[in-house]
Amino acid sequence: MLALAFPFLSTDRIRRQSFGAAWRSAASREAAARSPREGPHESPGIAEPLVVHGRVGNADRLVAVCERAAGLGLSVGTGLAEARARFPGLWAEAEDVSADAALLDAAADWCDRYTPLVAIDAPYGLILDISGCAHLFGGEGAMLRDVVRRLERAGLRAEAAVASEAGTAQALVSQRPQMTPVRRIVATGDEAAHVAPLALASLRLAPEMIARLARLGLSTLGDLADLPRPSLVRRFGADLLTRLDRAFGRAGSPISPRIPVPALSAERRLFEPVSLQEDIERLVLALAERLTVDLATRCEGGRRFDLALFRVDGKVERVGVATAAPLRDPLRIARLFRERLTGIGDAIDVGFGFDLVRLSVAETAAVADRQTSLAGGGANGEALSDLVDRLGARLGENTVLTAQPVQSHRPERAERRHSLLGAGHPASGQLASDAAAATPPLLAPRPVRLLGTPEPVEAAYELPDGAPLHFRWRKALHRVRRAEGPERIAPEWWRDPFEGTRDYYRVEDEAGRRFWLFRVDASDALDAAADLLASGEEDFGDREDFEDGAEDGAAASVPEAGARDDAAAPADPGAAAFPAFAAPAAAGAARPSWYMHGIFA
């Protein structure tokens, strides 16, 4: 485990913003020394003591100090007024927790070049699991020096330690920062010798706990380790012993990687950075060919591929594509990334170029070899699968959708749309057959276009329970020439007890346009609510109050002409509720309400 701590993260961030990422280089320091600040109105120099202050309790106190400010005697917790009184020319900035977190996340993103197992140890630093990958960088010592040197070049001071357990490495880098940065490598079995002399602050205890232990004459981790464990638990709790065991390597400290570990990955380190899209596409094709061999060995195909482009200055650009069916053809993989890179255009900032390109298989699925035709052609579903993949790569994963049946009586809740791309969805090679098999048989035809939200209409009818003679929808009058129905759909009382029974009719007007209307009898909803009141299952108030509320909610305005059909459609149709459907369209509880729900042609 490699632990990294950034004791001056806030001040380093401010100096990076003011003087650039290379502010720690010797040339920058010499340039700053040649142009010192001459007056109070001059901008602060690179060597000026810098502090960060924030609101602690009812006072402004220092929450971070730079190396030089710490050398002058300033420390975290000192009042801002006191610090300015001691040093009138002090450079002070307000804290920005979100900016610090963003910088720490960017540092974690950059560390992915060493290992995919990178965890954020906020607000202290990072934890890298380098098991099995340190030899790629010349060993643990060479890897530690390379990480620290690159971070120093990026303007960040890092304390680094390598140990067999994360808790040991964290304790070594959690000391009070010294003038000389921490650079330690602890061999397995030597944890006690390195950890025992550390101060209690290396356990990251609360200040009150450290003060209690200090009053007992305990100042190091070795002092705690020499005491009887039962007495420590009784007086200070089990958490103290847990932290102590992790620091000494006697207990494991699991980490949570910020990015899921891919199933397979291949990378190419470049001597000269690349910035052209054509060069990136050629690298993707070469990496895909390497991954294809491993996928074929495992009898799997990729459902999601991630491309990580590491810039020279440390920033990482990530591009991902998903597939509708397991894929391991390198040409098709490269074509998907070509579509994706073309679609996002200038969204990727190449900067000074990329010196590391990594292609990973984030999600896989089993795939069996299929017999092709005698002419060498592929299966019938490959064309559809390729089309879905290319549309998703160019337009985005959430633009290629399919309808999944849902167990519900209500038409607006009978399906749910989801993306065809990525794992967990059916293969597009069998999209048509799977959709037909998954769709339940319908008792009556359904309209081609279903309105997102049923819209009220004004209908005239000969009989209260018969089909309408004519109706007005969106200020247009339609005279019914033919009608078929009713198709009765019962309410889902477990979702909304106030919903009434719907009677659907397929009607055709004089112009040949066919509509799907339904009628709701408000008395059904009132009877259902009365039954619930009588059974005591729910407290819906007095029946008269419910009737008054139903009549008040009946004044639904007819939408303007030209209004969009699906403008009010919710993201999840199953979550929609239409309490107005239980209310009568006019005064009188016996008068039914009519609604437009779909259009056939």
PDB file of all heavy atoms in Angstrom, residues 261-265 291-292 294-306 321-328 333 359-367 422-425:
ATOM      1  N   VAL A 261     -12.813  -1.422 -10.569  1.00  0.00           N
ATOM      2  CA  VAL A 261     -11.672  -2.022 -11.256  1.00  0.00           C
ATOM      3  C   VAL A 261     -12.171  -2.707 -12.529  1.00  0.00           C
ATOM      4  O   VAL A 261     -13.094  -3.528 -12.483  1.00  0.00           O
ATOM      5  CB  VAL A 261     -10.954  -3.026 -10.342  1.00  0.00           C
ATOM      6  CG1 VAL A 261      -9.750  -3.632 -11.057  1.00  0.00           C
ATOM      7  CG2 VAL A 261     -10.517  -2.347  -9.056  1.00  0.00           C
ATOM      8  N   PRO A 262     -11.594  -2.401 -13.689  1.00  0.00           N
ATOM      9  CA  PRO A 262     -12.057  -3.041 -14.928  1.00  0.00           C
ATOM     10  C   PRO A 262     -11.663  -4.499 -14.978  1.00  0.00           C
ATOM     11  O   PRO A 262     -10.699  -4.947 -14.343  1.00  0.00           O
ATOM     12  CB  PRO A 262     -11.347  -2.220 -16.018  1.00  0.00           C
ATOM     13  CG  PRO A 262     -10.124  -1.675 -15.350  1.00  0.00           C
ATOM     14  CD  PRO A 262     -10.521  -1.427 -13.917  1.00  0.00           C
ATOM     15  N   ALA A 263     -12.417  -5.253 -15.761  1.00  0.00           N
ATOM     16  CA  ALA A 263     -12.123  -6.672 -15.916  1.00  0.00           C
ATOM     17  C   ALA A 263     -10.812  -6.885 -16.656  1.00  0.00           C
ATOM     18  O   ALA A 263     -10.006  -7.750 -16.294  1.00  0.00           O
ATOM     19  CB  ALA A 263     -13.273  -7.362 -16.651  1.00  0.00           C
ATOM     20  N   LEU A 264     -10.580  -6.102 -17.697  1.00  0.00           N
ATOM     21  CA  LEU A 264      -9.355  -6.185 -18.492  1.00  0.00           C
ATOM     22  C   LEU A 264      -8.949  -4.777 -18.890  1.00  0.00           C
ATOM     23  O   LEU A 264      -9.797  -3.871 -19.016  1.00  0.00           O
ATOM     24  CB  LEU A 264      -9.561  -7.031 -19.754  1.00  0.00           C
ATOM     25  CG  LEU A 264      -9.868  -8.523 -19.580  1.00  0.00           C
ATOM     26  CD1 LEU A 264     -10.276  -9.120 -20.913  1.00  0.00           C
ATOM     27  CD2 LEU A 264      -8.679  -9.255 -18.996  1.00  0.00           C
ATOM     28  N   SER A 265      -7.661  -4.575 -19.108  1.00  0.00           N
ATOM     29  CA  SER A 265      -7.172  -3.281 -19.569  1.00  0.00           C
ATOM     30  C   SER A 265      -5.860  -3.475 -20.302  1.00  0.00           C
ATOM     31  O   SER A 265      -5.096  -4.410 -20.019  1.00  0.00           O
ATOM     32  CB  SER A 265      -6.998  -2.297 -18.409  1.00  0.00           C
ATOM     33  OG  SER A 265      -5.972  -2.721 -17.544  1.00  0.00           O
ATOM     34  N   LEU A 291      -6.772  -6.676 -26.356  1.00  0.00           N
ATOM     35  CA  LEU A 291      -7.851  -7.103 -25.466  1.00  0.00           C
ATOM     36  C   LEU A 291      -8.660  -8.246 -26.064  1.00  0.00           C
ATOM     37  O   LEU A 291      -9.218  -9.076 -25.330  1.00  0.00           O
ATOM     38  CB  LEU A 291      -8.771  -5.920 -25.151  1.00  0.00           C
ATOM     39  CG  LEU A 291      -8.190  -4.805 -24.275  1.00  0.00           C
ATOM     40  CD1 LEU A 291      -9.178  -3.662 -24.159  1.00  0.00           C
ATOM     41  CD2 LEU A 291      -7.825  -5.333 -22.911  1.00  0.00           C
ATOM     42  N   THR A 292      -8.753  -8.284 -27.383  1.00  0.00           N
ATOM     43  CA  THR A 292      -9.557  -9.319 -28.025  1.00  0.00           C
ATOM     44  C   THR A 292      -9.039 -10.716 -27.696  1.00  0.00           C
ATOM     45  O   THR A 292      -9.829 -11.658 -27.504  1.00  0.00           O
ATOM     46  CB  THR A 292      -9.564  -9.108 -29.547  1.00  0.00           C
ATOM     47  OG1 THR A 292     -10.130  -7.822 -29.826  1.00  0.00           O
ATOM     48  CG2 THR A 292     -10.367 -10.180 -30.247  1.00  0.00           C
ATOM     49  N   ASP A 294      -7.548 -11.747 -24.936  1.00  0.00           N
ATOM     50  CA  ASP A 294      -7.966 -12.129 -23.580  1.00  0.00           C
ATOM     51  C   ASP A 294      -9.468 -12.381 -23.506  1.00  0.00           C
ATOM     52  O   ASP A 294      -9.920 -13.294 -22.803  1.00  0.00           O
ATOM     53  CB  ASP A 294      -7.566 -11.038 -22.588  1.00  0.00           C
ATOM     54  CG  ASP A 294      -6.053 -10.887 -22.477  1.00  0.00           C
ATOM     55  OD1 ASP A 294      -5.350 -11.895 -22.661  1.00  0.00           O
ATOM     56  OD2 ASP A 294      -5.584  -9.758 -22.216  1.00  0.00           O
ATOM     57  N   LEU A 295     -10.256 -11.579 -24.217  1.00  0.00           N
ATOM     58  CA  LEU A 295     -11.704 -11.799 -24.213  1.00  0.00           C
ATOM     59  C   LEU A 295     -12.061 -13.139 -24.847  1.00  0.00           C
ATOM     60  O   LEU A 295     -12.948 -13.845 -24.359  1.00  0.00           O
ATOM     61  CB  LEU A 295     -12.399 -10.653 -24.948  1.00  0.00           C
ATOM     62  CG  LEU A 295     -12.437  -9.299 -24.232  1.00  0.00           C
ATOM     63  CD1 LEU A 295     -12.986  -8.226 -25.162  1.00  0.00           C
ATOM     64  CD2 LEU A 295     -13.269  -9.380 -22.966  1.00  0.00           C
ATOM     65  N   ALA A 296     -11.383 -13.488 -25.935  1.00  0.00           N
ATOM     66  CA  ALA A 296     -11.659 -14.768 -26.585  1.00  0.00           C
ATOM     67  C   ALA A 296     -11.264 -15.931 -25.682  1.00  0.00           C
ATOM     68  O   ALA A 296     -11.948 -16.970 -25.658  1.00  0.00           O
ATOM     69  CB  ALA A 296     -10.926 -14.835 -27.914  1.00  0.00           C
ATOM     70  N   THR A 297     -10.182 -15.778 -24.936  1.00  0.00           N
ATOM     71  CA  THR A 297      -9.764 -16.842 -24.022  1.00  0.00           C
ATOM     72  C   THR A 297     -10.798 -17.064 -22.929  1.00  0.00           C
ATOM     73  O   THR A 297     -11.057 -18.202 -22.517  1.00  0.00           O
ATOM     74  CB  THR A 297      -8.404 -16.495 -23.405  1.00  0.00           C
ATOM     75  OG1 THR A 297      -7.448 -16.293 -24.453  1.00  0.00           O
ATOM     76  CG2 THR A 297      -7.920 -17.594 -22.469  1.00  0.00           C
ATOM     77  N   ARG A 298     -11.428 -15.993 -22.485  1.00  0.00           N
ATOM     78  CA  ARG A 298     -12.425 -16.084 -21.428  1.00  0.00           C
ATOM     79  C   ARG A 298     -13.826 -16.345 -21.965  1.00  0.00           C
ATOM     80  O   ARG A 298     -14.784 -16.402 -21.187  1.00  0.00           O
ATOM     81  CB  ARG A 298     -12.430 -14.790 -20.612  1.00  0.00           C
ATOM     82  CG  ARG A 298     -11.093 -14.482 -19.984  1.00  0.00           C
ATOM     83  CD  ARG A 298     -11.026 -13.095 -19.393  1.00  0.00           C
ATOM     84  NE  ARG A 298     -12.049 -12.830 -18.407  1.00  0.00           N
ATOM     85  CZ  ARG A 298     -12.024 -11.821 -17.541  1.00  0.00           C
ATOM     86  NH1 ARG A 298     -10.990 -10.997 -17.535  1.00  0.00           N
ATOM     87  NH2 ARG A 298     -12.996 -11.646 -16.690  1.00  0.00           N
ATOM     88  N   CYS A 299     -13.972 -16.466 -23.296  1.00  0.00           N
ATOM     89  CA  CYS A 299     -15.295 -16.658 -23.935  1.00  0.00           C
ATOM     90  C   CYS A 299     -16.254 -15.550 -23.526  1.00  0.00           C
ATOM     91  O   CYS A 299     -17.420 -15.800 -23.185  1.00  0.00           O
ATOM     92  CB  CYS A 299     -15.872 -18.029 -23.594  1.00  0.00           C
ATOM     93  SG  CYS A 299     -14.907 -19.412 -24.218  1.00  0.00           S
ATOM     94  N   GLU A 300     -15.756 -14.321 -23.527  1.00  0.00           N
ATOM     95  CA  GLU A 300     -16.559 -13.171 -23.135  1.00  0.00           C
ATOM     96  C   GLU A 300     -16.424 -12.074 -24.178  1.00  0.00           C
ATOM     97  O   GLU A 300     -15.516 -12.092 -25.025  1.00  0.00           O
ATOM     98  CB  GLU A 300     -16.125 -12.638 -21.766  1.00  0.00           C
ATOM     99  CG  GLU A 300     -16.422 -13.567 -20.601  1.00  0.00           C
ATOM    100  CD  GLU A 300     -15.967 -12.987 -19.278  1.00  0.00           C
ATOM    101  OE1 GLU A 300     -15.103 -12.080 -19.299  1.00  0.00           O
ATOM    102  OE2 GLU A 300     -16.468 -13.440 -18.235  1.00  0.00           O
ATOM    103  N   GLY A 301     -17.329 -11.141 -24.081  1.00  0.00           N
ATOM    104  CA  GLY A 301     -17.284  -9.937 -24.890  1.00  0.00           C
ATOM    105  C   GLY A 301     -17.531  -8.729 -24.013  1.00  0.00           C
ATOM    106  O   GLY A 301     -18.111  -8.844 -22.926  1.00  0.00           O
ATOM    107  N   GLY A 302     -17.097  -7.593 -24.449  1.00  0.00           N
ATOM    108  CA  GLY A 302     -17.268  -6.372 -23.663  1.00  0.00           C
ATOM    109  C   GLY A 302     -18.610  -5.723 -23.901  1.00  0.00           C
ATOM    110  O   GLY A 302     -19.079  -5.629 -25.037  1.00  0.00           O
ATOM    111  N   ARG A 303     -19.252  -5.273 -22.831  1.00  0.00           N
ATOM    112  CA  ARG A 303     -20.490  -4.496 -22.925  1.00  0.00           C
ATOM    113  C   ARG A 303     -20.247  -3.017 -22.687  1.00  0.00           C
ATOM    114  O   ARG A 303     -21.076  -2.186 -23.039  1.00  0.00           O
ATOM    115  CB  ARG A 303     -21.519  -5.004 -21.912  1.00  0.00           C
ATOM    116  CG  ARG A 303     -22.018  -6.413 -22.125  1.00  0.00           C
ATOM    117  CD  ARG A 303     -22.753  -6.562 -23.441  1.00  0.00           C
ATOM    118  NE  ARG A 303     -23.896  -5.689 -23.566  1.00  0.00           N
ATOM    119  CZ  ARG A 303     -25.140  -6.014 -23.228  1.00  0.00           C
ATOM    120  NH1 ARG A 303     -25.379  -7.211 -22.738  1.00  0.00           N
ATOM    121  NH2 ARG A 303     -26.124  -5.172 -23.390  1.00  0.00           N
ATOM    122  N   ARG A 304     -19.109  -2.695 -22.084  1.00  0.00           N
ATOM    123  CA  ARG A 304     -18.758  -1.293 -21.865  1.00  0.00           C
ATOM    124  C   ARG A 304     -17.230  -1.162 -21.910  1.00  0.00           C
ATOM    125  O   ARG A 304     -16.516  -1.900 -21.223  1.00  0.00           O
ATOM    126  CB  ARG A 304     -19.296  -0.790 -20.528  1.00  0.00           C
ATOM    127  CG  ARG A 304     -19.086   0.707 -20.313  1.00  0.00           C
ATOM    128  CD  ARG A 304     -19.685   1.154 -18.990  1.00  0.00           C
ATOM    129  NE  ARG A 304     -21.114   0.916 -18.947  1.00  0.00           N
ATOM    130  CZ  ARG A 304     -22.021   1.757 -19.444  1.00  0.00           C
ATOM    131  NH1 ARG A 304     -21.630   2.879 -20.017  1.00  0.00           N
ATOM    132  NH2 ARG A 304     -23.299   1.473 -19.363  1.00  0.00           N
ATOM    133  N   PHE A 305     -16.751  -0.189 -22.695  1.00  0.00           N
ATOM    134  CA  PHE A 305     -15.328   0.065 -22.848  1.00  0.00           C
ATOM    135  C   PHE A 305     -15.036   1.497 -22.415  1.00  0.00           C
ATOM    136  O   PHE A 305     -15.800   2.414 -22.742  1.00  0.00           O
ATOM    137  CB  PHE A 305     -14.885  -0.139 -24.301  1.00  0.00           C
ATOM    138  CG  PHE A 305     -15.071  -1.549 -24.805  1.00  0.00           C
ATOM    139  CD1 PHE A 305     -16.280  -1.949 -25.353  1.00  0.00           C
ATOM    140  CD2 PHE A 305     -14.041  -2.465 -24.739  1.00  0.00           C
ATOM    141  CE1 PHE A 305     -16.466  -3.235 -25.826  1.00  0.00           C
ATOM    142  CE2 PHE A 305     -14.213  -3.758 -25.198  1.00  0.00           C
ATOM    143  CZ  PHE A 305     -15.412  -4.140 -25.746  1.00  0.00           C
ATOM    144  N   ASP A 306     -13.934   1.671 -21.710  1.00  0.00           N
ATOM    145  CA  ASP A 306     -13.516   2.989 -21.233  1.00  0.00           C
ATOM    146  C   ASP A 306     -12.140   3.306 -21.790  1.00  0.00           C
ATOM    147  O   ASP A 306     -11.223   2.464 -21.745  1.00  0.00           O
ATOM    148  CB  ASP A 306     -13.478   3.041 -19.706  1.00  0.00           C
ATOM    149  CG  ASP A 306     -14.857   2.940 -19.086  1.00  0.00           C
ATOM    150  OD1 ASP A 306     -15.820   3.361 -19.750  1.00  0.00           O
ATOM    151  OD2 ASP A 306     -14.980   2.439 -17.953  1.00  0.00           O
ATOM    152  N   VAL A 321     -17.804   4.018 -24.142  1.00  0.00           N
ATOM    153  CA  VAL A 321     -18.844   3.567 -25.068  1.00  0.00           C
ATOM    154  C   VAL A 321     -19.437   2.283 -24.505  1.00  0.00           C
ATOM    155  O   VAL A 321     -18.762   1.521 -23.807  1.00  0.00           O
ATOM    156  CB  VAL A 321     -18.300   3.331 -26.494  1.00  0.00           C
ATOM    157  CG1 VAL A 321     -17.790   4.612 -27.098  1.00  0.00           C
ATOM    158  CG2 VAL A 321     -17.214   2.258 -26.498  1.00  0.00           C
ATOM    159  N   ALA A 322     -20.699   2.070 -24.787  1.00  0.00           N
ATOM    160  CA  ALA A 322     -21.405   0.855 -24.366  1.00  0.00           C
ATOM    161  C   ALA A 322     -21.952   0.155 -25.595  1.00  0.00           C
ATOM    162  O   ALA A 322     -22.198   0.784 -26.635  1.00  0.00           O
ATOM    163  CB  ALA A 322     -22.520   1.186 -23.379  1.00  0.00           C
ATOM    164  N   THR A 323     -22.164  -1.130 -25.481  1.00  0.00           N
ATOM    165  CA  THR A 323     -22.648  -1.927 -26.608  1.00  0.00           C
ATOM    166  C   THR A 323     -23.943  -2.618 -26.236  1.00  0.00           C
ATOM    167  O   THR A 323     -24.203  -2.913 -25.071  1.00  0.00           O
ATOM    168  CB  THR A 323     -21.601  -2.974 -27.024  1.00  0.00           C
ATOM    169  OG1 THR A 323     -21.386  -3.891 -25.941  1.00  0.00           O
ATOM    170  CG2 THR A 323     -20.283  -2.305 -27.372  1.00  0.00           C
ATOM    171  N   ALA A 324     -24.727  -2.910 -27.251  1.00  0.00           N
ATOM    172  CA  ALA A 324     -25.988  -3.595 -27.024  1.00  0.00           C
ATOM    173  C   ALA A 324     -25.803  -5.095 -26.900  1.00  0.00           C
ATOM    174  O   ALA A 324     -26.638  -5.774 -26.300  1.00  0.00           O
ATOM    175  CB  ALA A 324     -26.965  -3.292 -28.164  1.00  0.00           C
ATOM    176  N   ALA A 325     -24.719  -5.621 -27.447  1.00  0.00           N
ATOM    177  CA  ALA A 325     -24.415  -7.052 -27.374  1.00  0.00           C
ATOM    178  C   ALA A 325     -22.939  -7.212 -27.034  1.00  0.00           C
ATOM    179  O   ALA A 325     -22.140  -6.318 -27.312  1.00  0.00           O
ATOM    180  CB  ALA A 325     -24.739  -7.743 -28.699  1.00  0.00           C
ATOM    181  N   PRO A 326     -22.555  -8.313 -26.413  1.00  0.00           N
ATOM    182  CA  PRO A 326     -21.130  -8.524 -26.118  1.00  0.00           C
ATOM    183  C   PRO A 326     -20.290  -8.414 -27.388  1.00  0.00           C
ATOM    184  O   PRO A 326     -20.612  -9.012 -28.415  1.00  0.00           O
ATOM    185  CB  PRO A 326     -21.093  -9.934 -25.526  1.00  0.00           C
ATOM    186  CG  PRO A 326     -22.480 -10.166 -24.996  1.00  0.00           C
ATOM    187  CD  PRO A 326     -23.392  -9.417 -25.918  1.00  0.00           C
ATOM    188  N   LEU A 327     -19.221  -7.639 -27.298  1.00  0.00           N
ATOM    189  CA  LEU A 327     -18.433  -7.298 -28.479  1.00  0.00           C
ATOM    190  C   LEU A 327     -16.957  -7.526 -28.189  1.00  0.00           C
ATOM    191  O   LEU A 327     -16.463  -7.145 -27.125  1.00  0.00           O
ATOM    192  CB  LEU A 327     -18.689  -5.832 -28.862  1.00  0.00           C
ATOM    193  CG  LEU A 327     -17.917  -5.286 -30.061  1.00  0.00           C
ATOM    194  CD1 LEU A 327     -18.327  -6.016 -31.331  1.00  0.00           C
ATOM    195  CD2 LEU A 327     -18.160  -3.785 -30.190  1.00  0.00           C
ATOM    196  N   ARG A 328     -16.249  -8.135 -29.154  1.00  0.00           N
ATOM    197  CA  ARG A 328     -14.800  -8.266 -29.046  1.00  0.00           C
ATOM    198  C   ARG A 328     -14.112  -8.127 -30.407  1.00  0.00           C
ATOM    199  O   ARG A 328     -12.950  -8.493 -30.561  1.00  0.00           O
ATOM    200  CB  ARG A 328     -14.441  -9.606 -28.405  1.00  0.00           C
ATOM    201  CG  ARG A 328     -14.877 -10.848 -29.146  1.00  0.00           C
ATOM    202  CD  ARG A 328     -14.455 -12.089 -28.405  1.00  0.00           C
ATOM    203  NE  ARG A 328     -14.807 -13.317 -29.088  1.00  0.00           N
ATOM    204  CZ  ARG A 328     -15.300 -14.385 -28.473  1.00  0.00           C
ATOM    205  NH1 ARG A 328     -15.506 -14.360 -27.169  1.00  0.00           N
ATOM    206  NH2 ARG A 328     -15.577 -15.480 -29.156  1.00  0.00           N
ATOM    207  N   ILE A 333     -14.873  -2.065 -32.252  1.00  0.00           N
ATOM    208  CA  ILE A 333     -14.562  -1.278 -31.054  1.00  0.00           C
ATOM    209  C   ILE A 333     -13.915   0.043 -31.450  1.00  0.00           C
ATOM    210  O   ILE A 333     -14.273   1.114 -30.947  1.00  0.00           O
ATOM    211  CB  ILE A 333     -13.642  -2.073 -30.115  1.00  0.00           C
ATOM    212  CG1 ILE A 333     -14.366  -3.315 -29.587  1.00  0.00           C
ATOM    213  CG2 ILE A 333     -13.179  -1.209 -28.950  1.00  0.00           C
ATOM    214  CD1 ILE A 333     -13.476  -4.252 -28.778  1.00  0.00           C
ATOM    215  N   LEU A 359      -7.003   1.513 -22.570  1.00  0.00           N
ATOM    216  CA  LEU A 359      -8.322   1.013 -22.962  1.00  0.00           C
ATOM    217  C   LEU A 359      -8.705  -0.100 -22.003  1.00  0.00           C
ATOM    218  O   LEU A 359      -7.947  -1.063 -21.832  1.00  0.00           O
ATOM    219  CB  LEU A 359      -8.312   0.498 -24.403  1.00  0.00           C
ATOM    220  CG  LEU A 359      -9.633  -0.057 -24.938  1.00  0.00           C
ATOM    221  CD1 LEU A 359     -10.697   1.025 -24.965  1.00  0.00           C
ATOM    222  CD2 LEU A 359      -9.441  -0.647 -26.335  1.00  0.00           C
ATOM    223  N   SER A 360      -9.875   0.017 -21.383  1.00  0.00           N
ATOM    224  CA  SER A 360     -10.317  -0.936 -20.366  1.00  0.00           C
ATOM    225  C   SER A 360     -11.678  -1.496 -20.742  1.00  0.00           C
ATOM    226  O   SER A 360     -12.495  -0.818 -21.382  1.00  0.00           O
ATOM    227  CB  SER A 360     -10.394  -0.273 -18.990  1.00  0.00           C
ATOM    228  OG  SER A 360      -9.154   0.305 -18.629  1.00  0.00           O
ATOM    229  N   VAL A 361     -11.905  -2.718 -20.325  1.00  0.00           N
ATOM    230  CA  VAL A 361     -13.211  -3.357 -20.467  1.00  0.00           C
ATOM    231  C   VAL A 361     -13.887  -3.286 -19.108  1.00  0.00           C
ATOM    232  O   VAL A 361     -13.549  -4.037 -18.192  1.00  0.00           O
ATOM    233  CB  VAL A 361     -13.082  -4.820 -20.942  1.00  0.00           C
ATOM    234  CG1 VAL A 361     -14.458  -5.424 -21.178  1.00  0.00           C
ATOM    235  CG2 VAL A 361     -12.234  -4.902 -22.195  1.00  0.00           C
ATOM    236  N   ALA A 362     -14.816  -2.364 -18.965  1.00  0.00           N
ATOM    237  CA  ALA A 362     -15.450  -2.136 -17.669  1.00  0.00           C
ATOM    238  C   ALA A 362     -16.490  -3.197 -17.339  1.00  0.00           C
ATOM    239  O   ALA A 362     -16.635  -3.582 -16.176  1.00  0.00           O
ATOM    240  CB  ALA A 362     -16.090  -0.744 -17.630  1.00  0.00           C
ATOM    241  N   GLU A 363     -17.225  -3.673 -18.352  1.00  0.00           N
ATOM    242  CA  GLU A 363     -18.265  -4.669 -18.132  1.00  0.00           C
ATOM    243  C   GLU A 363     -18.167  -5.726 -19.216  1.00  0.00           C
ATOM    244  O   GLU A 363     -17.952  -5.408 -20.395  1.00  0.00           O
ATOM    245  CB  GLU A 363     -19.662  -4.033 -18.144  1.00  0.00           C
ATOM    246  CG  GLU A 363     -19.887  -2.998 -17.047  1.00  0.00           C
ATOM    247  CD  GLU A 363     -21.228  -2.315 -17.174  1.00  0.00           C
ATOM    248  OE1 GLU A 363     -21.986  -2.674 -18.108  1.00  0.00           O
ATOM    249  OE2 GLU A 363     -21.518  -1.430 -16.360  1.00  0.00           O
ATOM    250  N   THR A 364     -18.335  -6.971 -18.819  1.00  0.00           N
ATOM    251  CA  THR A 364     -18.255  -8.083 -19.766  1.00  0.00           C
ATOM    252  C   THR A 364     -19.501  -8.950 -19.671  1.00  0.00           C
ATOM    253  O   THR A 364     -20.260  -8.868 -18.701  1.00  0.00           O
ATOM    254  CB  THR A 364     -17.009  -8.941 -19.500  1.00  0.00           C
ATOM    255  OG1 THR A 364     -17.099  -9.511 -18.176  1.00  0.00           O
ATOM    256  CG2 THR A 364     -15.736  -8.121 -19.624  1.00  0.00           C
ATOM    257  N   ALA A 365     -19.686  -9.784 -20.665  1.00  0.00           N
ATOM    258  CA  ALA A 365     -20.785 -10.753 -20.679  1.00  0.00           C
ATOM    259  C   ALA A 365     -20.337 -11.951 -21.505  1.00  0.00           C
ATOM    260  O   ALA A 365     -19.509 -11.830 -22.418  1.00  0.00           O
ATOM    261  CB  ALA A 365     -22.060 -10.142 -21.260  1.00  0.00           C
ATOM    262  N   ALA A 366     -20.872 -13.086 -21.163  1.00  0.00           N
ATOM    263  CA  ALA A 366     -20.519 -14.310 -21.885  1.00  0.00           C
ATOM    264  C   ALA A 366     -21.035 -14.240 -23.314  1.00  0.00           C
ATOM    265  O   ALA A 366     -22.132 -13.746 -23.581  1.00  0.00           O
ATOM    266  CB  ALA A 366     -21.095 -15.527 -21.167  1.00  0.00           C
ATOM    267  N   VAL A 367     -20.231 -14.740 -24.219  1.00  0.00           N
ATOM    268  CA  VAL A 367     -20.619 -14.762 -25.623  1.00  0.00           C
ATOM    269  C   VAL A 367     -20.139 -16.081 -26.213  1.00  0.00           C
ATOM    270  O   VAL A 367     -19.016 -16.523 -25.954  1.00  0.00           O
ATOM    271  CB  VAL A 367     -20.020 -13.560 -26.394  1.00  0.00           C
ATOM    272  CG1 VAL A 367     -18.511 -13.514 -26.268  1.00  0.00           C
ATOM    273  CG2 VAL A 367     -20.428 -13.598 -27.853  1.00  0.00           C
ATOM    274  N   GLY A 422     -25.054  -1.271 -22.639  1.00  0.00           N
ATOM    275  CA  GLY A 422     -24.478  -1.604 -21.341  1.00  0.00           C
ATOM    276  C   GLY A 422     -24.977  -2.939 -20.839  1.00  0.00           C
ATOM    277  O   GLY A 422     -25.912  -3.551 -21.361  1.00  0.00           O
ATOM    278  N   ALA A 423     -24.323  -3.406 -19.776  1.00  0.00           N
ATOM    279  CA  ALA A 423     -24.684  -4.698 -19.195  1.00  0.00           C
ATOM    280  C   ALA A 423     -26.046  -4.620 -18.534  1.00  0.00           C
ATOM    281  O   ALA A 423     -26.504  -3.565 -18.119  1.00  0.00           O
ATOM    282  CB  ALA A 423     -23.639  -5.136 -18.181  1.00  0.00           C
ATOM    283  N   GLY A 424     -26.698  -5.749 -18.412  1.00  0.00           N
ATOM    284  CA  GLY A 424     -28.009  -5.818 -17.777  1.00  0.00           C
ATOM    285  C   GLY A 424     -29.164  -5.662 -18.738  1.00  0.00           C
ATOM    286  O   GLY A 424     -30.315  -5.710 -18.338  1.00  0.00           O
ATOM    287  N   HIS A 425     -28.881  -5.468 -20.030  1.00  0.00           N
ATOM    288  CA  HIS A 425     -29.924  -5.308 -21.024  1.00  0.00           C
ATOM    289  C   HIS A 425     -29.794  -6.418 -22.053  1.00  0.00           C
ATOM    290  O   HIS A 425     -28.712  -6.950 -22.294  1.00  0.00           O
ATOM    291  CB  HIS A 425     -29.827  -3.945 -21.706  1.00  0.00           C
ATOM    292  CG  HIS A 425     -29.853  -2.813 -20.727  1.00  0.00           C
ATOM    293  ND1 HIS A 425     -30.839  -2.680 -19.783  1.00  0.00           N
ATOM    294  CD2 HIS A 425     -29.001  -1.785 -20.521  1.00  0.00           C
ATOM    295  CE1 HIS A 425     -30.604  -1.597 -19.059  1.00  0.00           C
ATOM    296  NE2 HIS A 425     -29.487  -1.053 -19.483  1.00  0.00           N
TER     297      HIS A 425
END
